[in-house]
Amino acid sequence: MIIGVLNQKGGVGKTTIATNLAAVIAKAGYRVLLVDADPQGSSMAWSSVREAEPLFPVISMAKPTLHRDLPEIAADYDVVIVDGAPRVNDLGRAAILASDIVLMPVQPSPYDVWASADTVQLVKEAQQFKENIKPVFVVNRKIVNTAIGRDVRNALSQFDFPILPVEICQRVGFAESASQGLAVIETDPKSDAAQEISQLAAQLVDMKAKPKTKKERKAA
């Protein structure tokens, strides 16, 4: 399974979600690969400051041939997470075409909702070539104890793409863990942040299923 974390708007928290999602899935026993498809290299930078033993490999593939190059590499893994690039259409299209699920984080602001139209259009174009791409929104960086998350859900409904039930809130734990190249499930596994990311993982991956053997991955 390849999950692309994508939005054409920058600063929506793609890398935070990608790194933390990969950590949760890896902790569950799955063989995970994180692909940094953003020329800015945020996931690679996160990985480079890590001193602890890595939970999963991180590679850089910020190129428009990603959709052709990645499937062969992905065959060795149960789940591949792609940290996509903003504002670069060729790279965005390639990441979408490479993905089975396109996870689109959206912050609860009208600017982010308006900007989502560009990503939605790219996904719809990609679906003309790959019909089984599954696009989903997730509300990210919601301010705790506010109704603005509900408001953004109403606004996103215009795009006719599913909106995941879980909402990822703005929490300092994400920044604190990232500064060490860690995920919140490592620094504080009982925190609200870790619980939210774990819920997100469960909505994307069957966490109760037994991870595939290498032979099963090759046959998939």
Side-chain angles (χ1 to χ4, degrees), residues 21-172:
L21 191 60
V24 168
I25 298 171
K27 281 276 194 179
Y30 290 84
R31 183 165 166 78
V32 175
L33 173 68
L34 177 59
V35 176
D36 193 334
D38 186 346
Q40 184 172 309
S42 296
S43 284
M44 294 297 295
W46 171 86
S47 178
S48 70
V49 300
R50 183 183 179 93
E51 295 183 358
E53 187 72 19
L55 296 175
F56 49 82
V58 183
I59 65 172
S60 178
M61 291 187 72
K63 52 185 182 179
T65 57
L66 176 69
H67 58 298
R68 295 196 296 268
D69 301 336
L70 185 56
E72 183 177 354
I73 299 171
D76 287 331
Y77 298 89
D78 299 306
V79 179
V80 176
I81 310 289
V82 178
D83 181 9
R87 299 183 298 276
V88 186
N89 284 347
D90 286 347
L91 295 180
R93 288 191 185 96
I96 291 169
L97 284 169
S99 301
D100 301 304
I101 298 174
V102 175
L103 178 65
M104 294 171 284
V106 180
Q107 295 181 119
S109 83
Y111 303 105
D112 284 68
V113 173
W114 298 333
S116 295
D118 293 335
T119 310
V120 168
Q121 183 58 38
L122 282 178
V123 172
K124 289 183 175 179
E125 290 173 2
Q127 286 176 322
Q128 300 299 312
F129 301 94
K130 186 178 175 181
E131 294 181 1
N132 61 345
I133 297 172
K134 180 182 179 182
V136 292
F137 286 114
V138 61
V139 177
N140 190 39
R141 291 179 174 167
K142 176 189 173 184
I143 306 301
V144 179
N145 298 324
T146 66
I148 198 167
R150 180 189 63 218
D151 297 339
V152 75
R153 285 179 174 276
N154 291 336
L156 287 172
S157 63
Q158 66 182 290
F159 298 119
D160 295 324
F161 285 174
I163 308 167
L164 294 179
V166 65
E167 295 176 346
I168 311 300
C169 294
Q170 179 81 359
R171 301 189 189 276
V172 68

